[in-house]
């Protein structure tokens, strides 16, 4: 694209000149509009516009809502509120599960730390004539056995 | 009007006309493909794995692109706003902050808030900052096996991260990077949003009551009205002028894909945003109550990098800069970059200026 002469018009590049004029106009328009939306009057206008839309839609929404509620009840279908309520309960369950998973992870970490820790020094058994038996694995204590011990 | 140097050269004029017609032919073809939606680009392509999910929220772990010994020990968690999708962090290959940070050796995680349904309309900032974000952090710590991490929040995501950092100073947060963070709303004349939301005509209660969640279309309309000519006219004219340039078209398309992928603003959070943040400015004044106590930014112990954009028309600089005095940490830096609210982190300017600066600051604190 050729350079425009200082007076802004290049007869050899009419499209370039047109684009320059267009962009200059758009810039001016953009500056004006940006300044306008940043005024108190515009803020009030946009607020009133929203308020009007909400005021007009409220009774319609209410009527549609009531109609749908009764229609869905008649055809044995859950209403939107019931589905939303169910979804909210599922979210609560998910939160509980997330907490439980975290607690489980903490427990597993603690158990692994205990397993990795060096065993406590035990008292040496009294010498006997019998051959030394290999060390037996610690018995797994079931919940029931532990309960019995505690009793 | 014409001068001797600007005399009409009919040969050149005809050549230009021919070139213009040729360009128009190519442009029309691209335009037809665009209009018929046969031309599209995929955003958020960097490979990732979901490591945690709760309700609609997801925590993604991006696959590392460096050898284990080259990676930074402190992982980075990205948090975007409640509006629009977080894929802006990973727009497209070559224009992706995620990709850049992976190449610098960071373990990058992204928290996606998801698209709230009506059942999520009661969630407010306390839920997001102090219930969900800590859970995502917990999942990240479980995944990395490390306690320390860095947090990078953008826009409302930065506000959420600030609240989290103030209320959970002992959770392992080492570095806090805030991008265009709206924190101080004292200047009621700063930016159109401040004016619009502060008028008594803006009936936020009725809006939330009727819709539950504020539709993304309303949020998008509001954002575009900040610069109406640029968003509704110039944006498309620039595309038209460059329809013959494949790279520009793809870049425009990627950004447009992100911009038009709208997310509803959870109702309770939106109401709180308008009333307690914009109108009452509770956060910066230490009057924002969460978990029964005020959110005190003086409790922030992590190092803070507060990045602002000089041409940000959505979050005026004064909403971020004044917060510097409130952060409790002594290691804090205010960084002013060239660009707008989004341009700060997207595009060639971002990859040459903003990203390296963030990396340089974080790298010194991620050892």
């Amino acid at each position: 694209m050729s350079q425009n002469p200082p007076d802004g018009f290049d007869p050899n590049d009419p499209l370039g000149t047109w684009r320059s004029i267009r962009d200059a106009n758009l810039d001016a328009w953009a500056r004006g509009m940006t300044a306008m939306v940043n005024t108190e009057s515009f803020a009030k206008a946009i607020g009133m516009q929203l308020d009007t839309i909400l005021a007009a839609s409220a009774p319609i929404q209410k009527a549609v809502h009531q109609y749908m509620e009764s229609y869905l009840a008649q055809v044995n279908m859950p209403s939107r509120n019931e589905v939303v309520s169910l979804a909210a309960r599922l979210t609560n369950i998910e939160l509980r599960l997330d907490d439980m998973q975290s607690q489980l992870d903490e427990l597993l970490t603690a158990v692994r730390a205990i397993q990795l820790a060096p065993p406590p020094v035990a008292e040496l058994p009294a010498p006997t004539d019998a051959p030394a038996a290999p060390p037996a694995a610690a018995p797994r204590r079931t919940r029931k056995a532990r309960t019995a011990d505690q009793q | 009007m014409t001068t001797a140097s600007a005399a009409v050269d009919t040969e050149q004029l005809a050549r230009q006309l021919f070139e213009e017609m040729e360009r128009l032919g190519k442009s029309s073809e691209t335009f037809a493909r665009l209009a018929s939606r046969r031309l599209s680009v995929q955003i958020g392509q960097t490979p990732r794995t979901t490591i945690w999910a709760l309700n609609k929220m997801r925590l993604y772990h991006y696959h590392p692109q460096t050898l284990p010994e080259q990676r930074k020990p402190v992982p980075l968690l990205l948090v975007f706003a409640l509006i629009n999708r977080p894929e802006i962090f990973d727009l497209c290959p070559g224009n992706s902050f995620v990709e850049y940070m992976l190449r610098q050796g960071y373990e990058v995680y992204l928290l996606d808030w998801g698209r709230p349904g009506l059942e999520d309309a009661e969630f407010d900032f306390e839920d997001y900052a102090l219930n969900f974000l800590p859970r995502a952090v917990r999942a990240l710590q479980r995944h990395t096996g490390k306690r320390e991490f860095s947090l990078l929040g953008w826009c409302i995501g930065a506000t959420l991260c600030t609240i989290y950092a103030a209320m959970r100073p002992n959770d392992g947060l080492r570095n806090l990077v805030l991008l265009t963070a709206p924190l101080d709303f004292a200047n009621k004349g700063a930016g159109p949003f401040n004016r619009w939301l502060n008028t008594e005509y803006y009936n936020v209660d009725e809006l939330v009551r009727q819709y539950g969640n504020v539709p993304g279309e309303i949020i998008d309309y509001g954002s575009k009205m900040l610069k109406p000519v640029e968003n509704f006219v110039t944006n498309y004219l620039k595309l038209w002028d460059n329809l013959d340039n494949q790279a520009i078209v793809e870049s425009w398309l990627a950004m447009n894909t992100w911009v038009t992928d709208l997310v509803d603003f959870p109702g309770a959070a939106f109401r709180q945003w308008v009333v307690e943040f914009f109108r009452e400015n509770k956060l910066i004044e230490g009057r924002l109550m969460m978990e029964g106590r005020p959110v005190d930014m003086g409790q922030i112990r992590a190092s803070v990098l507060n990045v602002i954009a000089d041409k940000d028309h959505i979050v005026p600089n004064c909403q971020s800069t004044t917060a510097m005095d409130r952060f409790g940490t002594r290691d804090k830096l205010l960084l002013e970059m060239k660009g707008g609210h989004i341009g700060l982190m997207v595009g060639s300017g971002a990859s040459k200026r903003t990203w390296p600066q963030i990396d340089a600051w974080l790298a010194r604190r991620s050892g």
Side-chain angles (χ1 to χ4, degrees), chain B residues 128-201:
Chain B
Y128 284 101
L130 302 179
N131 190 359
F132 305 142
L133 181 53
R135 287 169 190 274
V137 167
R138 192 167 68 188
L140 176 147
Q141 288 169 329
R142 201 163 53 218
H143 190 257
T144 59
K146 294 169 187 164
R147 191 167 179 277
E148 286 196 323
F149 64 99
S150 299
L151 196 54
L152 185 148
W154 189 354
C155 191
I156 295 174
T159 312
L160 292 168
C161 291
T162 303
I163 295 169
Y164 169 81
M167 298 293 277
R168 300 276 193 275
N170 302 316
D171 269 14
L173 178 62
R174 184 157 165 190
N175 305 302
L176 176 65
V177 181
L178 305 173
L179 303 177
T180 65
L183 300 170
D184 182 2
F185 304 87
N187 186 349
K188 300 297 178 198
F193 270 150
N194 244 319
R195 289 186 190 278
W196 301 351
L197 299 176
N198 273 298
T199 168
E200 70 272 23
Y201 297 101

Side-chain angles (χ1 to χ4, degrees), chain B residues 290-346:
Chain B
M290 286 189 181
E291 294 182 338
R293 59 194 170 107
V295 179
D296 179 7
M297 287 165 62
Q299 293 298 316
I300 296 177
R301 298 282 172 262
S303 300
V304 176
L305 175 65
N306 190 5
V307 186
I308 56 172
D310 65 345
K311 291 189 178 65
D312 193 338
H313 66 290
I314 294 175
V315 179
N317 290 171
C318 63
Q319 289 184 357
S320 310
T321 51
T322 51
M324 291 304 289
D325 297 335
R326 309 291 171 129
F327 299 128
T329 177
R330 274 189 279 179
D331 182 17
K332 50 190 168 184
L333 177 69
L334 178 71
L335 189 64
E336 182 175 340
M337 303 302 299
K338 284 185 179 177
H341 189 71
I342 301 300
L344 171 78
M345 286 292 282
V346 178

Side-chain angles (χ1 to χ4, degrees), chain A residues 27-77:
Chain A
D27 283 347
W29 187 27
R31 276 197 300 274
M33 286 294 285
T34 305
M36 190 196 75
V37 299
N38 199 14
T39 60
E40 206 62 42
S41 306
F42 187 85
K44 283 180 183 169
I46 206 167
M48 285 179 79
Q49 183 193 12
L50 180 71
D51 211 25
T52 309
I53 293 169
L54 291 175
S57 64
I60 300 166
Q61 267 201 2
K62 194 176 175 186
V64 171
H65 182 72
Q66 282 173 346
Y67 169 76
M68 286 304 293
E69 285 268 320
S70 59
Y71 172 75
L72 288 169
Q74 280 177 10
V75 293
N76 282 330
M77 292 285 282

Side-chain angles (χ1 to χ4, degrees), chain B residues 209-281:
Chain B
R209 194 192 66 76
Q210 280 197 28
Y211 286 98
N213 296 323
V214 179
E217 288 79 5
I218 291 182
I219 307 289
D220 182 54
Y221 175 71
S223 302
K224 284 182 173 163
M225 281 304 287
L226 294 173
K227 284 195 169 184
V229 177
E230 285 89 335
N231 288 315
F232 293 115
V233 183
T234 315
N235 182 33
Y236 298 99
L237 271 180
K238 276 185 182 164
L239 172 67
W240 176 256
D241 285 347
N242 293 288
L243 275 174
D244 56 334
N245 187 327
Q246 183 77 10
I248 292 180
V249 170
E250 281 181 4
S251 172
W252 185 93
L253 207 52
M255 182 54 82
N256 194 58
T257 303
W258 177 75
V259 167
T260 52
D261 191 4
L262 305 175
V263 179
D264 295 349
F265 202 136
F270 183 77
R271 193 193 168 281
Q272 193 179 20
W273 185 236
V274 172
V275 177
E276 296 190 43
F277 288 84
F278 267 94
R279 292 182 182 168
E280 298 174 356
N281 197 24

